[in-house]
Amino acid sequence: MTERMESTESVRAIALAAKAASRELGTTTGEKRNQALAAMAQALRARAPEIVAENSLDMEAARRAGTAESLLDRLMLDESRVEAMAAALEDLMVLPDPLGTVQVHRELYNGIELDRVSVPLGVVAMVYEARPNVTADAAGICIKTGNACVLRGGSLAARSNAVIARLLHEAAVGVGMPRNCIRALETTDRSATDELMALHGIVDVLIPRGGAGLIRHCVEHSKVPVIETGTGNCHVYVHASADEDMACAIVLNAKCRRYGVCNAAETLLVDRSIARSFLPGMLSALAHEGVLMHCDEEAYDCAIWTRDESGRTGIELNFVRATDEDWATEYLAPEIAVKCVDGIDEAIEHINRYGTKHSEAIVASDDGAAGRFVAGVDAAAVYVNASTAFTDGGEFGMGAEIGISTQKLHARGPFALEALTSYKYVLRGSGQVRM
Amino acid sequence: MTERMESTESVRAIALAAKAASRELGTTTGEKRNQALAAMAQALRARAPEIVAENSLDMEAARRAGTAESLLDRLMLDESRVEAMAAALEDLMVLPDPLGTVQVHRELYNGIELDRVSVPLGVVAMVYEARPNVTADAAGICIKTGNACVLRGGSLAARSNAVIARLLHEAAVGVGMPRNCIRALETTDRSATDELMALHGIVDVLIPRGGAGLIRHCVEHSKVPVIETGTGNCHVYVHASADEDMACAIVLNAKCRRYGVCNAAETLLVDRSIARSFLPGMLSALAHEGVLMHCDEEAYDCAIWTRDESGRTGIELNFVRATDEDWATEYLAPEIAVKCVDGIDEAIEHINRYGTKHSEAIVASDDGAAGRFVAGVDAAAVYVNASTAFTDGGEFGMGAEIGISTQKLHARGPFALEALTSYKYVLRGSGQVRM
């Protein structure tokens, strides 16, 4: 029934229905919203076979279309993955209610009592790719924060998303949440995203979760405010004062812990003065992990020397000459750009020019240099003597990370539930008028 | 010299120069930035005759072009207005430094010390109309918050803005601020605004200050994040439980204190059950102030009755039938729409449909009704038994209001210096890598 309704409704009509739901949702208690989360988790568990069955159809179609293995893995659901989605919904229940918090209380000179109180944003639109777990995740986060949501998942996951959204909606409505509090768009063509982006005044925020192309498209065309997430062209800068063993360990971790993540290092910057002592060991270690190196001239010379010296150890050193394009590339792969710099000013300038304001690290034992780096680099997270791999809501001690913002307004860096709230000023008087 | 540079530079080049300045500006101390504010104030005072002379040329041209008196008044500068601009810059000096505040400190499980520290946004673009005092105001606020600014004022004030920006820039640079920290665009055609709006990644935030048309244009077309300000279609709702004298005083104040402001009431909603007792006195009082009333059917009947009854008092009652358009109109004039509603639900629905999420008031002695109104109305400021005229940074106890935001992200309601800051996470370790 829900499915039939959606397929004939316009994106605008769906968003308006969600807007109406959001009015009611915004006045529910935290307890009620937690009950909804429990019911939603329960529904996923109880109906796991149905979800897995729909997912199999998505998988079949995706395989027939020649989808890459890595995408298929993101798309695939089995009972244990459904269980993980349910558990994630329950994890939200124990977090404090983000609504109704009095952030500021003040009695004005005229006796008016002013409170600044946290409230939901209203309607949250999420646009994402073929990861059906995001459907449950986004719906849960929105219910927890009292927001209605409009979800637009990738076409590869259309059946999976539809059944998950329908079950979650039924479960939430079953315990008293308003109808239309969770809506998934059935149309998965790009025009649906474009329609969503035009709904200024109806949709309160748009959060794209996906590749750089999707995010850029949203930032450039949305009339609805966007929280820009994700792309990370991160650097590790090894200062002349660095402990070289520490630097090597940090670079390896930042580059090789996981290749496909936004907090992975993509460029290594090294002070020219220590290049000859530091780089041979560093490049060997990267070669040992199978990393392809895009080297500037000086690093290239080091690589040749390292290859010749280490030829007998049997490690194959893969390196090419870097082009300007490499400095701006987020490889998301076992590749790294390597560049020598004439000290901290050049390092900061390079990072501010090519970085994506995500995560940047310096390895240095000189506190003055570290301080200048921290002050001069424009990024959400700046590290001194630690790996960029820590940029993550969980590692930062937040609950329920939604994404990592690379913009500066509203939310920066890893963001969680509070980013889906706003506030209102409530002023209670006894007839005050302004002179 | 500065002027000549600007006239040949593209908007993009100016913004890039401001970006470079912002890097340096972001690392200055609060003390240094206060010194700049003092020097800027001093420069305005010392060069007041020059400013007034340039302004006279703007005024002459504007008069020749047949500009309305109200606009001419906003445009005009005399020595006392220049003095007020200088004093406003000095007022900023006593406010606490908004930068470098440690908002969160946490030692992570692995020993990394995490700090969330306030930082400038970077480059702030302000687009405004023919009010040259905004040039000084915006430049001062940006220097205080460590942001470089790109200012695009109205064409009527071109000469005034140019001289003010040049003097302020010289003064700031004279005490050590980076060159290009304050830049005014000389081109005042609309395309300059459009170019600014396209500079995502260079300009960090765009704040339009002006009429509804300008703001809508920016919201719809900007790739740079916008803080939406200003338009206020505000309501006063008189609940059946209201103290009618209090309600009358609040409506009069909210409507008539100043007509041209965004916190003025534009629609009066009255519970039908008290319309016959409340409206005749209310409409007489509004008529006494010369307010034209756009009445729904029931209010129209009350107005006829009131006119007939009060004919002998000599007050002329001006009223017409309201159309649907009236509910959505921000008159900014001695006009008000008047509508009877069937209780609080209809009132909330009407406000959420037609309001601009600015300021909304209920007059009620019933606490339950007040609570429902506060929870149900979606606006930056919601009043119980007080006038909407209080929505103002100064009245709310903030220093240096920049504007009143009607969006929900980043800043809502009256916003001040903190809205021009972001934060970064600074993580200091001793070689930590992530498992």
Side-chain angles (χ1 to χ4, degrees), chain A residues 126-138:
Chain A
M126 294 249 192
V127 179
Y128 49 100
E129 292 169 348
R131 297 176 61 173
N133 63 308
V134 175
T135 304
D137 193 31

Side-chain angles (χ1 to χ4, degrees), chain A residues 106 109 121 253 257 374 377 380 382 384-385 389 395-396 408 410 412 423-425 427 429 431 434-435, chain B residues 106 109 121 253 257 374 377 380 382 384-385 389 395-396 408 410 412 423-425 427 429 431 434-435:
Chain A
R106 197 176 287 155
Y109 67 95
L121 287 175
N253 184 255
R257 181 179 169 273
V374 162
V377 164
V382 184
V384 178
N385 296 332
E395 293 292 321
F396 278 21
K408 297 189 200 171
H410 191 65
R412 193 179 202 196
Y423 50 81
K424 66 166 69 156
Y425 288 94
L427 298 105
R434 186 168 172 194
M435 292 304 113
Chain B
R106 197 177 286 154
Y109 67 95
L121 288 175
N253 185 256
R257 180 179 170 274
V374 163
V377 164
V382 184
V384 178
N385 296 332
E395 293 292 320
F396 278 20
K408 296 189 200 170
H410 191 65
R412 192 180 202 195
Y423 50 81
K424 67 166 68 157
Y425 289 94
L427 299 105
R434 187 168 171 195
M435 291 305 115

Side-chain angles (χ1 to χ4, degrees), chain A residues 416-430:
Chain A
L417 300 178
E418 304 83 65
L420 295 189
T421 67
S422 181
Y423 50 81
K424 66 166 69 156
Y425 288 94
V426 178
L427 298 105
R428 294 172 191 273
S430 49

Side-chain angles (χ1 to χ4, degrees), chain B residues 87-98:
Chain B
L89 291 172
E90 287 167 343
D91 287 347
L92 289 169
M93 295 171 62
V94 300
L95 296 175
D97 186 1

